[in-house]
């Protein structure tokens, strides 16, 4: 996202962001900064609790993690033992169960993010861990048996998209709290049924259920600070946001096209078994390894690859996966299980997997400028895209480009938008009307998610009349006065309000402010789980997870509505879609994607294999 910036410009932007956040807290929340240092939170632990206003829990919530694939293991890595005790895991693939205990040893960074239960909870070995953590798989009833386990109070769901709704529904019917991964569900009606159930059902103690969805940016301190700066007025009037998620995947090397255990037939008729060959070269490397650390790493990888190879013995049809055909190309149930993102029945393409995160971020930024705390919904989208590069190995598109119109917010006279036209006397009296009063006032968001070239990676650029804020890869934040990427700035108070200013010292960026601005690099998973556990243990009305059903459903409506626009565009119609407000309302049965409440209810009632 910041590919055009030199290292010096990045350093300037990072400095400016730290200075601005430091100033923000110094002016607005001085006690908060002291608190952070007071509890030692600058070093990481407890920072989320300070930011999001939750405390410790006396009795960790007993959870099951259902689906321990790639993301399930990130979530296990985000479990804080003082908040949640993992009492069960559930997955049908030996590889996923192995990673859940031992972690993902492919590289130091994968291991850091997916450390495994042994590391998180300090078990000496798998046998010991299995005494405390029950494993539900194909041999003992899988998901349904896991949900019936009396030890479990809450479930974390990291299953393929099409299973989120039925598993969440079955869990809520049993009085279990739910944290499900995003997208909330596979269609909008499923989201509505889930939301209604969360309002209706109670836990075993008679308390309301907490249904959280894993859009982790709601718990990312960097985004929270960005919101503070936007609300404080440092960017002025926001008129454009551009966001992207570009990846280098090409045919034959696509991170969504995971290797198939047991191998695949190539065009020349031979079998290509990537897992087996990766296993073999690690076994060979181990014979030559002299460094004990390297030898241990290879042994761990070999155990992991053996578990992955064992996935070939699973019969995916036992769990509802199907053989099917698209335009004469046959796909196996094994492909559907391992590459579920690529197919319409099990996934919902780029907008569900990637776009939903960034449109969620856009909504966070734009909603922050409203005083009623409501989530802003887009007015319309123009979308195009398709399978522009990949062969017929998928149903979903590999390129998507969209343009959204959002209603522009009102700016009061106290908010300095950073301009004044004396000829027009504009803005009159200092205030700028929002879309409700002046339909010209819109914020346009351009978004693209493509394969084939990862130039610029992923992130969001927020453009305002006073400043530019860049969020790069969920971790790095840079701030500039207008479009000036070379000047270091601090914050000073001018007649109109607070502004980024080259003559301000930026001394606030001294250690205390820098700690608040930088914090530990957390993408929010840990905080999202901790806060969910805190809300479960503290069932007061004001304790509510930040990505609650209306918010998560809004993200789903945007992603799935965009998919409708894309389909229209690809069938010779217009790719323009106006968003209807009823689509976003839990109590309305209206949906953009043709899904129905009756259909969703029927689907979600059926036990999951
Ligand atoms: N928040 C984020 O940033 C983020 C990132 C990646 C993925 N995700 C979401 O997490 C979810 C999982 O994605 P993933 O990348 O981990 O996929 P994955 O394919 O790696 O993992 C899914 C797991 O579910 C298991 N599973 C499938 N059907 C099952 C059944 N019937 N019973 C038991 N286990 C079953 C599979 O064996 C697999 O281990 C998706 O909804 C995805 O969108 C979120």
């Amino acid at each position: 996202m910041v590919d055009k910036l030199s290292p010096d410009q990045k350093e300037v932007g990072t400095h400016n962001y730290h200075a601005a956040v430091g100033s923000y807290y110094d002016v607005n929340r001085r006690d908060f900064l002291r608190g952070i240092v007071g509890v030692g939170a600058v070093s990481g632990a407890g920072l989320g609790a300070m930011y999001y206003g939750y405390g410790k829990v006396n009795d960790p919530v007993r959870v099951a993690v259902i689906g321990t694939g790639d993301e399930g293991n990130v979530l296990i890595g985000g479990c804080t033992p003082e908040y949640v005790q993992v009492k069960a895991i559930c997955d049908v693939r030996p590889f996923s169960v192995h990673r859940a205990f031992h972690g993902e040893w492919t590289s130091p960074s994968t291991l850091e993010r997916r450390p495994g239960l042994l590391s998180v909870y300090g078990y000496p070995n798998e046998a010991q861990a299995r005494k405390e953590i029950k494993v539900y798989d194909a041999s003992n009833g899988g998901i349904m048996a896991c949900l019936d386990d009396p030890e479990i109070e809450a479930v974390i769901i990291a299953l393929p998209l099409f299973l989120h709704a039925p598993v969440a529904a079955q869990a809520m019917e049993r009085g279990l709290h739910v944290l499900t991964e995003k997208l909330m569900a596979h269609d909008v009606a499923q989201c509505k049924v889930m939301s209604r159930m969360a309002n209706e059902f109670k836990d075993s103690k008679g308390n309301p259920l907490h249904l959280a969805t894993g859009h982790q940016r709601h718990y990312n301190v960097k985004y929270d600070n960005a919101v503070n700066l936007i609300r404080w007025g440092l960017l002025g009037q926001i008129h454009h946001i551009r966001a992207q998620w570009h990846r280098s995947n090409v045919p034959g090397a696509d991170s969504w096209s995971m290797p198939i255990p047991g191998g695949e037939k190539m065009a020349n008729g031979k079998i290509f078994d990537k897992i087996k060959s990766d296993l073999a070269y690690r076994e060979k490397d181990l014979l030559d390894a002299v460094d004990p650390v390297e030898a241990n790493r290879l042994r761990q990888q070999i155990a992991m690859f053996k578990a992955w190879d064992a996935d070939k013995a699973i019969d995916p049809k036992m769990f509802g996966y199907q053989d099917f055909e698209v335009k004469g190309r046959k796909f196996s149930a094994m492909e559907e299980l391992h590459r579920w993102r690529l197919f319409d029945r099990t996934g919902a393409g780029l907008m569900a997997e990637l776009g939903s995160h960034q449109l969620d971020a856009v909504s966070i930024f734009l909603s922050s400028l409203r005083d009623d705390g409501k989530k802003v919904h887009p007015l319309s989208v123009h979308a195009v895209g398709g399978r522009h590069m990949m062969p017929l190995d998928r149903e979903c598109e590999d390129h998507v480009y969209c343009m959204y119109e959002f209603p522009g917010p009102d700016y009061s006279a106290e908010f300095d938008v950073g301009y004044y036209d004396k000829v027009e006397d504009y803005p009159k009296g200092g205030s700028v009307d929002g879309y409700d009063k002046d339909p010209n006032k819109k914020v346009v968001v351009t978004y693209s998610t493509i394969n084939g070239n990862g130039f610029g990676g992923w992130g969001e650029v927020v453009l305002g009349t006073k400043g530019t804020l860049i969020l790069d890869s969920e971790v790095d934040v840079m701030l500039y006065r207008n479009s000036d990427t070379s000047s270091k700035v601090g914050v000073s108070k001018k007649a109109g309000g607070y502004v980024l200013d080259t003559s301000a010292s930026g001394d606030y960026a001294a250690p205390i402010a820098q700690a608040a601005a930088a914090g530990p690099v957390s993408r929010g998973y840990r905080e999202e789980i901790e806060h969910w556990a805190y809300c479960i243990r503290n069932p007061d009305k004001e304790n509510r997870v930040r990505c609650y059903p209306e918010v998560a459903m809004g993200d789903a409506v945007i992603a799935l509505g965009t998919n409708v626009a894309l389909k229209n565009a690809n069938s010779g119609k217009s790719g323009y879609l106006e968003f209807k407000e009823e689509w976003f309302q839990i109590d309305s049965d209206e949906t953009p994607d043709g899904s129905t409440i009756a259909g969703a209810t029927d689907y979600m009632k059926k036990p999951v294999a």
Side-chain angles (χ1 to χ4, degrees), residues 67-72 90-93 96 143 158-161 163-164 181-183 214 216 319 321 337 340-341 353 357 525 609:
T68 57
D70 200 45
E71 185 65 4
C90 173
D91 204 296
V92 293
R93 293 171 51 191
S96 299
I143 292 175
L159 290 162
L161 178 59
L163 292 174
H164 293 185
E181 256 311 330
K182 47 51 64 173
L183 198 62
Q216 68 270 13
F319 314 105
Y321 292 88
L337 167 61
W340 58 267
R341 281 180 172 83
E353 290 303 310
H357 279 302
Y525 299 106

Side-chain angles (χ1 to χ4, degrees), residues 117-339:
L117 290 159
L118 266 55
S119 163
V120 171
Y121 288 95
Y123 295 115
N125 51 46
E126 186 176 328
Q128 217 40 45
R130 278 181 182 255
K131 287 188 184 154
E132 297 295 325
I133 301 169
K134 183 130 194 207
V135 178
Y136 291 94
D137 56 20
S139 68
N140 61 357
I143 292 175
M144 297 312 289
C146 180
L147 295 176
D148 284 330
D149 185 330
E151 280 277 317
I152 303 303
E153 300 172 90
V155 293
I156 294 176
I157 300 172
L159 290 162
L161 178 59
F162 78 121
L163 292 174
H164 293 185
V167 176
Q170 304 279 344
M172 286 191 280
E173 265 184 354
R174 287 162 175 75
L176 304 176
H177 300 273
V178 174
L179 191 167
T180 182
E181 256 311 330
K182 47 51 64 173
L183 198 62
M184 187 179 188
H186 193 240
D187 67 41
V188 173
Q190 289 174 10
C191 295
K192 294 196 172 193
V193 177
M194 281 166 82
S195 306
R196 293 175 193 181
M197 288 182 75
N199 286 337
E200 184 189 336
F201 285 88
K202 303 265 184 273
D203 71 9
S204 61
K205 297 183 186 117
N207 294 316
L209 286 183
H210 288 284
L211 168 60
T213 300
H215 286 287
Q216 68 270 13
R217 282 167 180 74
H218 288 271
Y219 289 97
N220 182 322
V221 165
K222 302 288 174 77
Y223 281 77
D224 209 52
N225 278 327
V227 159
N228 288 334
L229 301 186
I230 291 171
R231 275 186 71 81
W232 205 26
L234 294 189
L235 298 196
Q237 176 179 347
I238 294 179
H239 47 96
H240 179 36
I241 298 178
R242 64 184 175 86
Q244 69 171 58
W245 199 318
H246 292 183
R247 301 173 306 149
S248 297
N249 296 320
V250 287
D254 174 13
S255 58
W256 280 14
S257 212
M258 300 303 287
I260 298 297
E264 291 180 88
K265 208 191 227 172
M266 294 184 287
N268 64 8
K270 291 190 179 148
I271 297 293
F272 172 53
D273 190 340
K274 181 159 176 13
I275 298 166
K276 199 124 208 182
S277 71
D278 282 0
L279 171 61
Y281 93 69
R282 284 174 168 85
E283 283 175 329
K284 189 170 158 300
D285 281 357
L286 182 60
L287 296 176
D288 303 331
V290 275
D291 174 14
V293 175
E294 173 64 1
N296 179 51
R297 193 179 62 83
L298 284 166
R299 268 193 290 276
Q300 293 282 0
Q301 288 187 356
I302 288 165
M304 203 177 87
F305 273 78
K306 281 186 173 159
W308 200 354
D309 186 48
D311 280 357
K312 68 186 173 208
I314 290 290
D315 176 5
K317 290 186 184 160
M318 276 177 63
F319 314 105
Y321 292 88
Q322 301 171 3
D323 296 338
F324 61 104
E325 204 173 304
V326 179
K327 296 182 184 154
R329 158 81 148 92
K330 289 192 165 54
F331 292 91
S332 68
M334 199 65 145
E335 283 173 276
E336 198 182 37
L337 167 61
H338 289 272
R339 298 174 179 165

